[in-house]
Amino acid sequence: MCRHLAWLGQPRTLAALVLDPPSSLLVQSHAPRRQRYGTVNADGWGVGFWAAGRPEPARWRSERPLWGSASFASVAPAVSARCVLAAVRSATVGMPIEEAAAAPFTDGRWLLSHNGRVDRAVLPPARDAESVVDSALLAALVFSRGMAALGETVREVGAADPGARLNLLAADGTRLLATTWGDTLSVLVTDEGTALASEPWDDDPRWADVPDRTLVEVTPDGLTQTSLDASEPA
Ligand code: GLN
């Protein structure tokens, strides 16, 4: 399983979000604390962000371990953004290890990361998928259905493949969306902004766990959580 995070708020450097915290994504790439599947996330990484004045996201991805990227370590303290989405990858057995298989995926407007696995046979073929990795096919499906239908799409895919793990994290520069479906997610709300992360990157007592099967939405106005469980009222 992978680990991912997103930030929406006052500008933060990529280093402050991804490299510097005591249990940063960098540390999680070799020593995650809460990961349920897999032990290292060494099959690639990706960081996406919105630079001031550009409507579309910028991405930097690699098929190599994050801890080996001296170039990213050098540039990350010099780049700040109000909205960032980053991931480190542990490839599911049988999936390709290539840059295009590392999250975040994009449709040009949204960035999206998938922590989990899904049987590709239950996903429609997607000509515009960035890679044949299950996560890229799932991203293509989510983009084509529209982000307003994210919860519904996850519920449908989860019903088609009961063994699927569908922890998604998405951002469009002004909004974050996330689902929990089989793995952990934590949220940190501060005066400066909101973070969503597979696991807390430090011991700040304000981190709160998101229950499984939940849809989370973060806007500048606040955070909402909705149950994805069909048996509970939305
Ligand atoms: N199935 C996806 C992949 O192979 C995600 C893996 C994960 O969450 N570890 O990249």
Side-chain angles (χ1 to χ4, degrees), residues 105 120 123-126 129-142:
F105 305 98
R120 287 178 286 185
L123 301 174
E130 293 184 52
S131 160
V132 299
V133 68
D134 57 352
S135 304
L137 298 180
L138 181 61
L141 175 67
V142 168

Side-chain angles (χ1 to χ4, degrees), residues 26-212:
L26 172 64
V27 173
Q28 291 172 31
S29 70
H30 54 83
R33 296 191 289 179
R34 297 200 179 172
Q35 192 157 329
R36 293 183 183 163
Y37 303 86
T39 50
V40 288
N41 299 289
D43 299 320
W45 57 272
V47 178
F49 57 93
W50 279 263
R54 289 184 85 227
E56 70 275 20
R59 287 187 295 171
W60 188 352
R61 298 184 295 166
S62 166
E63 74 287 3
R64 305 184 43 183
L66 180 56
W67 65 76
S69 184
S71 296
F72 181 70
S74 165
V75 172
V79 179
S80 306
R82 293 179 180 276
C83 188
V84 175
L85 191 151
V88 289
R89 178 175 182 226
S90 165
T92 299
V93 174
M95 297 298 155
I97 296 179
E98 58 187 9
E99 181 180 315
F105 305 98
T106 191
D107 63 352
R109 173 167 175 218
W110 286 87
L111 294 175
L112 186 139
S113 169
H114 170 223
N115 162 22
R117 59 155 298 278
V118 57
D119 182 353
R120 287 178 286 185
V122 308
L123 301 174
R127 245 175 295 120
D128 47 352
E130 293 184 52
S131 160
V132 299
V133 68
D134 57 352
S135 304
L137 298 180
L138 181 61
L141 175 67
V142 168
F143 292 145
S144 73
R145 289 280 183 87
M147 298 309 288
L150 179 65
E152 213 178 295
T153 304
V154 164
R155 264 207 299 257
E156 279 174 31
V157 174
D161 175 7
R165 297 191 298 272
L166 303 167
N167 307 276
L168 297 176
L169 182 59
D172 75 347
T174 62
R175 214 147 63 96
L176 309 180
L177 288 171
T179 60
T180 52
W181 193 280
D183 209 328
T184 54
L185 185 73
S186 299
V187 54
L188 175 70
V189 180
T190 73
D191 291 343
E192 298 188 336
T194 300
L196 296 174
S198 300
E199 52 187 84
W201 61 57
D202 61 19
D203 290 329
D204 190 320
R206 293 173 295 181
W207 284 103
D209 294 341
V210 176
D212 198 35

